[in-house]
Amino acid sequence: MKQRALWSAVLIAVLAMSGCGSASGPKEADKGSNGGKLVVWDWKSGDATAASYIKKAKADFAKSHPDTTVEFVAQPFEQYYTLLGAAIQAGKGPDVMLFNGGGQIRDRVDSLVAIDEYIAGDKQRLAGWDAFGKAGKTYAAPVTLQGHPIYYNKALYKKAGLNPDSPPRTWTEFLANCAAIAKAGAKCFGQGNKEGIGIQFFMSGLGSGILTPKEYDDWIAGKRDWQAPGVKRLFQLWKEVSDAGLNTDGANSTAMFNDAFAQFQSGKAAHMIGLMSDIGHWKDFNEFLKPENVGVMIAPVVTDGATPSLPYDGGIGYAVAKWTKDPKLAADLVRSLTSTDALASFYADAGAIASDTTIDVSTAGPAVATIVADLKSGKPALHVALSSKTIDLMGRLSQQLISGSVTVDEALKQLAASDKPA
Amino acid sequence: MRGERLAPYVLVAPAILIIVALRLWPLALGVNFSFTGDGDRDGAVVGLDNYIDLFRDPLFQTALRNVGLLVLLLPIAVAIPGLLATFIYLRVPGHRFFRSVYFFPAVLSPVIVGAIFNLLLAFDGPLNAVLGTVGLGPVDWLGDPDVAMFAVVGVHIWATFGMALVVFLAGFATLDGALLDAARVDGASLPQVIWHVIIPGLSRTIQFVFVTTMIGMLTSMFGLLYVMTSGGPEGSTYLPEYFIWIQQGQMNRPALASAASTVLFVIMLVVGLLQLSLLRRAVKES
């Protein structure tokens, strides 16, 4: 018994002393690229659809750097940022790594090199840089573009007696269409908000028709006023759409990936705010509904004076780690990973809208043609500008708005408090 | 002489070194880390800031409340396998069949169980279809914050009660059959037999099952939560483990996650010590 008491005392002493101990932040570069080797982390290179993309990028890089070997390490996406966080903490991460645009990369720029001086030659050719920048510096080169077109099922439009080739331009017209579609036995929106993603798609997909151009630009510039009339209207609309039964049933327990998309693909819902790349996009929908039945519309005008546009940003992009030995070499690899040739295969095999706007997409069906045509006038998506913390809170509040346990005013108050710069 | 005195220390040294190097030292590092900052304040000593953040965070409060809920639901999680084991022991018709069937879910991984019940409990899923045929409105099992936690705990109990059932059956093997016969001769009813003969006879087994079920509930619900609710809806199904994972992986706040881990460690320590003392007292009594 005495022994046990002694050991407990030792344990407690150790724990207590460690409390006043020193801090352990990330250590400066002690490893990184060894010799002529670059290590790349991503969650794509293991996919069969990305094989020819990686091959072409590697070949392009080998042309100028024949002595450097490149190793791709594919991590599982669900754990990617957890693993990356641990590697950053230890200062022993890869030289080049893949990031999602927006909050994920902005939260981690402390560990990255600004690559502006290396990629100046690509600035014109590629689109979607904003999602990888912070405070005027660029930290990654975009590979794909990600955005939120509003897809609609032309077959359902026909069935409901609507003209599939003239999508609604105003919210009133949109609601009238939804009423006709309801009579034809389908819901208006395919909705999945189990992970809180539904509100993100809704915000970005419809936002440009709700916020005035000034409100929109201020929002993207970081001057977000959560009490602005347009912002308030957006959240009211989210609740109204749900209350009016326009969403598919059980939105809060339906996963956006991929149950909500499945509802659209099986014709249970006429509209779906989807994605442009990777998943839940034109390529998936084309397979199920046939390319001629997949339409893309620009957001209907809810507020007078709003100018609807296609919301999109850089989707995924490669960044260079601070601890790499030769940032120029790593940046060259990033340039190879975003070369026209490599990106053309990524577009063709993986079904992504690539960041390179010079790629020919005329064979992929009308939906893609509409999306690419809308890119020029497009603007960054609203939700991408938010921090992961605010996004997480917004997801939970959006569920509460649907269930009625929080009011729009209360939700906006909480979001404004969360969105304050730390 | 001196060699002999040193021998025991040398012999236990490897074990102690392993425990210190691989358990206690990382634990101390983790606790230490929880007193430093995240993001801009990375590496700086911030005192108790993380803990203050933590207890102000409504999500962490929900997670702690849910731990309390699990403790309250513990008797049900123990009573179900106990009752079913009693029926098998009393040889209800088909008891051999039930014995193997009840154990079956225990071999499935939580991810598979979660995926199966995601389908069954979906809003347009089979369970709601069955309820619909008898005129009951659909319940949003995983989308209603008042229901979701109970749904997940119910699935967890379904998936794990087989193990407790086996422990109970082992306990029954030590029960004196003569006592049961005597009770029957005296004309005791089934509830009376259970209450006055079986429960006192199995008190040690019951306590053991209480301890293991509690530990199972607190430490192995992550897989189910991840697959079935992702902590939602409205954050209503958060548990400390899930909170730690989100803060570390998604929010990029490893130090806050360390603080939460330390709190979870203390909770487990207290629960574990309480249960150990309970067990020890039970052993003494018998």
Side-chain angles (χ1 to χ4, degrees):
Chain A
M1 206 55 213
K2 232 180 211 169
Q3 286 288 318
R4 185 170 295 129
L6 185 68
W7 278 111
S8 313
V10 170
L11 174 61
I12 289 165
V14 168
L15 290 178
M17 283 197 332
S18 66
C20 31
S22 69
S24 62
K27 292 176 185 65
E28 281 310 308
D30 51 357
K31 204 191 122 197
S33 58
N34 39 17
K37 187 177 172 189
L38 288 174
V39 177
V40 184
W41 274 21
D42 60 26
W43 60 89
K44 284 279 173 201
S45 58
D47 297 356
T49 51
S52 91
Y53 161 67
I54 298 287
K55 205 173 140 199
K56 281 190 181 155
K58 267 186 172 172
D60 186 78
F61 183 69
K63 264 189 273 171
S64 47
H65 302 281
D67 303 332
T68 311
T69 51
V70 180
E71 185 192 348
F72 281 85
V73 182
Q75 308 281 10
F77 181 64
E78 306 79 54
Q79 291 166 34
Y80 185 75
Y81 289 107
T82 311
L83 294 170
L84 193 62
I88 287 174
Q89 206 60 45
K92 289 185 179 176
D95 302 284
V96 172
M97 54 202 135
L98 191 62
F99 270 105
N100 290 99
Q104 291 295 7
I105 189 167
R106 289 198 187 109
D107 288 353
R108 294 175 176 85
V109 291
D110 292 347
S111 322
L112 304 175
V113 179
I115 55 172
D116 298 83
E117 52 174 314
Y118 310 114
I119 46 83
D122 294 333
K123 273 270 173 180
Q124 284 306 312
R125 184 172 56 88
L126 304 180
W129 292 99
D130 290 350
F132 300 106
K134 189 178 180 182
K137 285 183 181 161
T138 308
Y139 292 92
V143 173
T144 63
L145 299 179
Q146 189 58 285
H148 300 277
I150 304 170
Y151 294 97
Y152 66 102
N153 184 337
K154 291 186 178 176
L156 276 178
Y157 262 62
K158 267 181 233 156
K159 194 175 159 200
L162 302 165
N163 179 2
D165 296 317
S166 86
R169 292 179 167 277
T170 67
W171 187 247
T172 322
E173 282 172 43
F174 185 83
L175 288 179
N177 286 6
C178 285
I181 288 160
K183 272 187 200 137
K187 291 283 186 177
C188 188
F189 280 110
Q191 186 59 270
N193 200 38
K194 181 175 179 172
E195 317 94 324
I197 291 176
I199 182 75
Q200 300 171 25
F201 284 28
F202 186 89
M203 169 181 255
S204 290
L206 296 175
S208 64
I210 305 173
L211 271 60
T212 62
K214 184 176 178 330
E215 282 172 343
Y216 201 103
D217 295 341
D218 281 354
W219 179 282
I220 298 298
K223 291 177 277 181
R224 284 184 284 280
D225 176 7
W226 290 86
Q227 297 301 330
V231 177
K232 204 167 174 178
R233 182 78 191 105
L234 197 156
F235 282 85
Q236 278 166 347
L237 208 64
W238 164 259
K239 189 165 171 49
E240 282 169 22
V241 163
S242 168
D243 290 350
L246 300 182
N247 288 332
T248 44
D249 291 330
N252 274 352
S253 57
T254 306
M256 178 66 85
F257 300 98
N258 293 312
D259 298 347
F261 295 132
Q263 287 173 335
F264 178 68
Q265 283 160 3
S266 58
K268 284 182 188 151
H271 304 88
M272 181 85 221
I273 301 172
L275 294 168
M276 270 159 55
S277 295
D278 303 325
I279 193 171
H281 64 329
W282 47 275
K283 193 166 181 178
D284 289 355
F285 300 155
N286 283 353
E287 258 173 51
F288 282 88
L289 300 172
K290 291 185 201 152
E292 65 270 22
N293 285 330
V294 181
V296 171
M297 67 169 81
I298 212 95
V301 175
V302 179
T303 316
D304 290 335
T307 50
S309 58
L310 176 71
Y312 80 95
D313 294 90
I316 55 175
Y318 283 101
V320 175
K322 205 181 219 169
W323 50 77
T324 190
K325 270 187 185 157
D326 181 359
K328 165 101 179 53
L329 183 73
D332 276 353
L333 178 59
V334 170
R335 292 196 67 182
S336 293
L337 282 161
T338 50
S339 63
T340 303
D341 238 18
L343 290 178
S345 351
F346 199 68
Y347 150 75
D349 295 348
I353 302 280
S355 57
D356 191 325
T357 47
T358 60
I359 295 172
D360 175 33
V361 294
S362 54
T363 56
V368 179
T370 317
I371 291 172
V372 173
D374 288 340
L375 283 177
K376 255 199 194 103
S377 60
K379 286 184 177 180
L382 293 173
H383 81 270
V384 178
L386 301 173
S387 71
S388 17
K389 189 177 145 210
T390 306
I391 289 267
D392 184 62
L393 177 65
M394 186 167 78
R396 265 175 283 127
L397 288 170
S398 71
Q399 293 171 337
Q400 288 181 303
L401 284 170
I402 289 183
S403 73
S405 55
V406 76
T407 62
V408 171
D409 287 327
E410 172 60 22
L412 289 174
K413 218 168 81 190
Q414 288 189 34
L415 285 166
S418 150
D419 194 31
K420 268 188 211 132
Chain B
M1 251 341 253
R2 187 186 280 174
E4 246 171 60
R5 209 180 268 172
L6 279 176
Y9 295 104
V10 174
L11 290 175
V12 296
I16 287 181
L17 280 179
I18 287 174
I19 292 174
V20 169
L22 298 181
R23 296 263 165 155
L24 298 184
W25 180 239
L27 182 68
L29 284 180
V31 173
N32 182 26
F33 190 57
S34 72
F35 292 102
T36 66
D38 286 312
D40 294 340
R41 297 200 293 169
D42 189 14
V45 179
V46 298
L48 289 173
D49 280 11
N50 285 328
Y51 290 88
I52 294 168
D53 269 12
L54 204 57
F55 286 101
R56 279 193 189 144
D57 190 330
L59 269 186
F60 192 70
Q61 290 168 7
T62 310
L64 290 182
R65 260 202 305 279
N66 281 338
V67 169
L69 180 70
L70 290 183
V71 175
L72 290 180
L73 291 174
L74 190 59
I76 299 175
V78 174
I80 290 173
L83 216 61
L84 293 173
T86 308
F87 290 143
I88 290 175
Y89 177 70
L90 296 175
R91 292 170 202 278
V92 291
H95 62 277
R96 279 172 208 282
F97 173 73
F98 288 122
R99 196 168 53 188
S100 46
V101 165
Y102 285 155
F103 188 71
F104 178 64
V107 304
L108 294 176
S109 100
V111 176
I112 295 168
V113 172
I116 293 171
F117 276 90
N118 260 348
L119 295 175
L120 289 177
L121 299 177
F123 193 81
D124 53 358
L127 183 59
N128 276 337
V130 170
L131 285 180
T133 57
V134 296
L136 291 172
V139 179
D140 201 355
W141 297 103
L142 300 176
D144 183 333
D146 299 327
V147 179
M149 193 65 201
F150 292 97
V152 178
V153 173
V155 172
H156 178 76
I157 292 175
W158 176 87
T160 56
F161 83 90
M163 207 52 100
L165 186 94
V166 171
V167 175
F168 271 118
L169 286 176
F172 273 116
T174 66
L175 201 63
D176 190 352
L179 282 176
L180 281 179
D181 291 337
R184 284 210 189 97
V185 170
D186 288 347
S189 64
L190 179 66
Q192 283 173 323
V193 170
I194 291 177
W195 189 247
H196 293 292
V197 181
I198 292 180
I199 289 184
L202 286 182
S203 64
R204 282 171 68 184
T205 311
I206 293 172
Q207 272 153 356
F208 177 75
V209 172
F210 254 97
V211 173
T212 51
T213 309
M214 185 73 232
I215 292 172
M217 274 188 161
L218 285 181
T219 60
S220 53
M221 293 265 289
F222 181 86
L224 274 186
L225 286 179
Y226 185 84
V227 175
M228 290 179 69
T229 65
S230 315
E234 306 174 21
S236 64
T237 57
Y238 263 73
L239 282 180
E241 273 183 302
Y242 193 79
F243 180 87
I244 292 164
W245 185 82
I246 288 282
Q247 293 299 335
Q248 206 292 113
Q250 310 294 305
M251 303 294 150
N252 199 24
R253 296 201 60 185
L256 184 71
S258 288
S261 303
T262 308
V263 173
L264 179 61
F265 170 73
V266 170
I267 292 174
M268 292 301 289
L269 198 69
V270 169
V271 170
L273 286 177
L274 275 178
Q275 290 180 330
L276 272 182
S277 71
L278 253 177
L279 271 185
R280 203 172 291 134
R281 216 173 56 204
V283 173
K284 265 186 203 148
E285 273 170 12
S286 62

